[in-house]
Amino acid sequence: MRNTRSSPRSSIWEYWTSLVACLFFWIQYSYEMPHVIRIGGIFEQTEGPVSLVSAEELAFKFAVNNINRNRTLLPNTTLTYDIQRINIYDSFEASRKACDQLSLGVVAIFGPSHSSSSNAVQSICNALEVPHIQVRWKHHPMDNRDTFYANLYPDYSSLSYAILDLVQFLKWKTATVVYDDSTGLIRLQELIMAPSRYNIRLKIRQLPLDTQDTRPLLKEMKRGREFRIIFDCSHQMAAQVLKQAQTMGMMTEYYHYIFTTLDLMAIDLEPYRYCGVNMTGFRILNVDNPQVASIVDKWSTERQLPAKPDSGLLEGTMTTDAALTYDAVHIVSVSYQHAPQMTVNSLQCHRHKPWRFGGRFMSFIKESHWDGLTGRLSFNKTTGLRTDFDLDIISLKEDGLEKVGKWSASGGLNITEVPKRKGMNITDSLANRSLVITTILEEPYVMLKKSDKALVGNDRFEGYCIDLLKELANILGFSYEIRLVPDGKYGSQDDKGQWNGMIRELIEHRADLAVAPLTITYMREKVVDFSKPFMSMGISILYRKPNTTNNGFFSFLNPMTPDIWVYILLAYLGVSCVLFVIARFSPYEWYDAHPCNPGSDVVENNFTLLNSFWFGVGSLMQQGSELMPKALSTRIIGGIWWFFTLIIISSYTANLAAFLTVERMDSPVDSADDIAKQTKIEYGVVKDGATMSFFKKSKVSTFEKMWAFMSSKPSTSLVKSIEDGIQRVLKSDYALLMESTTIDYITRRNCNLTQVGGIIDSKGYGIGTPLGSPYRDKITIAILSILEDGRLHMLKEKWWSGSSCLDEERRETGPMGIQNLGGIFIVLASGLVLSVFVAIAEFVYKLRKTAEREQRSLCSAMVDEIRLSFTCERRVKHRAQPSAGAKTDAVINMHTYNDRRLPGKDNMSCSTGMTPVFP
């Protein structure tokens, strides 16, 4: 009986023992086996005959497979997924698919992307406390209460600041913002509010909603000369915009496009690399990291999607959405490492029973950090938005997209672009470019070539500017097409502010360069850019050659100016008077009147006042006289006067011959002042040219008066072209104001025209380019190059030389003035001064000897001699009687007497021949 009773108890004990053991082994086995967690993905599929898998779905699978393969992130856990596909904008289907995934037990739901479907899924995740992960931009109001939400796409406000910083760095004053849908205005709100805080003028435009044909919009922007454009659209739309912009001629150096899409690298930019367009964008994919680059290459290799014809996209390129999806899967996996014991329950949407680990897991996600494909991942713990991120600034170069800078929320914009090759040759940026050249017909700058054959294209033209253009093309390596300006004008601004001529062609970008005699002015420089001047000139007057002057009865006086004749007369009177005084003053000009009578006290002087004037006249007329000076002082006067008359007579004779052989011109006007003071001769300028602008804007009274005259008679004063002005100058009494270089060319070839007066102002001809053109500096460097090696001078000599007028023209000889003969008067005055000092020396020396001989004082002898020399009215005087001892000193020399005999007297037969006796 005992054994029977104990059997059931032992059986129960064994049962519980085995049950506990099994439970222990199951728990131990469960810890050793890898856990399995499931994530859910809801992705949109495109509508059409063939549904295409989205890039986000492919990246979702790619990330899960990589995590399970590597086992470094989740070594004891297997990551599985459940993917559901919905139609775009189907929020009801999105809600149903989300509930299906929650019933399977998922730790997080990824997607969908579009706003309506995403909001529906988000509300369910908030109710059941399951993390909802987004990778596309989504607007979140300030009072957003979606706590179970994390978005890896950069915060829209930060993106807007990045765009604004870039616009400010580029120093844009005007810009056009083109957005795809209304959400673009939210994304760009910081930029749109910039005009109120910064000096930026914005124009807002919207892309077509129901079509991808943007050509009407592009045409309108081109007509409005909107060259700085910001596009806020998807990269698929951006590819279409670029293709259509190229057909519209808007992919040139003058346009600068900024794209807000982060997928600019996914667009096929090969057709635009060499067109010179400025294209800037942003990139969050950190391709500079070698690990990221290897993952992106692997993705491109594994991705198998059919190519879309004419899409303008690069197939196989990892887009930003795909990269963000890849990083989102990894950030969820990293967060799961912090809660390995977390269990997942099957949740039912209709029960409203939340996941008890959902709040804790959402906190782990917001607190996690991960260096992914798009840089460092971190979230705002309150909003779940990604605010701390870095953006690469990328720009299109000839080698493709290149990183030129970096933007971060903390550091702002940092441009790091440096030239790839220092000392790069100037031909690199213009090589193989085809430029449109606008010009105007004007000799000798641009002319139609004369030929027996029919010429087409650039071969139709020749001239100075054409040769200059060829030199620039050889240096810079570009090709060109020459087009004549349609209205035949250089370019001026009307009262409404509108420009015409070549300036308008440049403003509207119908031409790349204006190669012509285009004057650089202040008003033109405000709307176009100019190179350094290739030719300097000024404004002068073109007038027909005046009639020759008729020779009068007194034309023999013309070789010298009236003031010279007056100076010659004064010099003659002065020399004659000085000669008279010096001759009376010098003791060596007095001699015995009766040399045969040594006892005579009468001495004689040949240079009376009349004889002095006669001596001057004889020398001036190159005939001489019988009067000869004897003293050194008077001989100095005579020699200087002879030298003076030699120069005067020689100059007069030479100039008289020139006056008799050259026909002198008598012009009625000689300067701009002469023209302004009269109204008989009409004058004007070429209409709508730089010369007209000069007079119109001038504040100088003379030029204001001239413009008032021209503007009062516009029909007669203003001419349409230079050729019309030349014909009018030849046929009527008209003067044309124009550039001096053109006048020089015209007067060399038309002997009936001449330049009147000097140059009024100083200007220069330059090559015009559109405002902000990248060609200007290259053109300037090339011009300086050919200027320094002399080729510009050779070109001018080629087109300005070869004239027959200059060979036949004899230069007009003008009368000689004081500037020509002033030196000889100075020499004459110096000789007279020298003779005075010599005469004084002679006078003092002789009186000293006389005073010693007569035993008198020097002062008394000087007083007596001065009194006797200058109080006598005749040419003889009585000398003072010498002492007895002095008389014995007289020496008779007949030979000396004969040399000093009186003029007009017969030879004396006195054998004693006495020498002159001086007082």
Side-chain angles (χ1 to χ4, degrees), residues 323-344:
L324 292 174
T325 303
Y326 182 91
D327 288 345
V329 175
H330 280 74
I331 199 71
V332 171
S333 301
V334 170
S335 302
Y336 185 76
Q337 287 181 334
H338 299 286
Q341 306 301 326
M342 183 178 62
T343 60
V344 182

Side-chain angles (χ1 to χ4, degrees), residues 25 118 466 484 580:
F25 285 112
S118 177
I466 303 302
L484 293 177
F580 169 72

Side-chain angles (χ1 to χ4, degrees), residues 13 70 84 104 113 168 178 229 289 339 377 383 418 511 519 597 600 653 695 707 748:
W13 174 255
N70 295 333
Q84 300 292 333
L104 296 177
S113 302
Q168 287 183 301
V178 182
I229 306 172
N289 190 324
L377 293 172
T383 62
V418 294
T519 308
N597 184 10
S600 174
T653 304
F695 284 100
W707 173 246
R748 285 172 183 252

Side-chain angles (χ1 to χ4, degrees), residues 717-785:
S717 296
L718 304 181
V719 295
K720 294 182 179 180
S721 64
I722 292 178
E723 187 62 32
D724 293 343
I726 294 174
Q727 294 301 321
R728 187 167 179 195
V729 170
L730 291 172
K731 296 178 180 179
S732 63
D733 201 9
Y734 180 80
L736 181 63
L737 295 118
M738 58 187 298
E739 286 78 6
S740 58
T741 52
T742 308
I743 292 179
D744 184 23
Y745 174 81
I746 294 171
T747 54
R748 285 172 183 252
R749 283 157 176 77
N750 194 325
C751 302
N752 296 322
L753 299 176
T754 185
Q755 178 177 331
V756 176
I759 296 177
I760 294 177
D761 68 335
S762 179
K763 296 184 184 301
Y765 289 148
I767 294 179
T769 64
L771 200 63
S773 171
Y775 301 149
R776 182 187 62 174
D777 294 339
K778 309 297 184 300
I779 295 294
T780 293
I781 294 174
I783 288 177
L784 294 177
S785 174

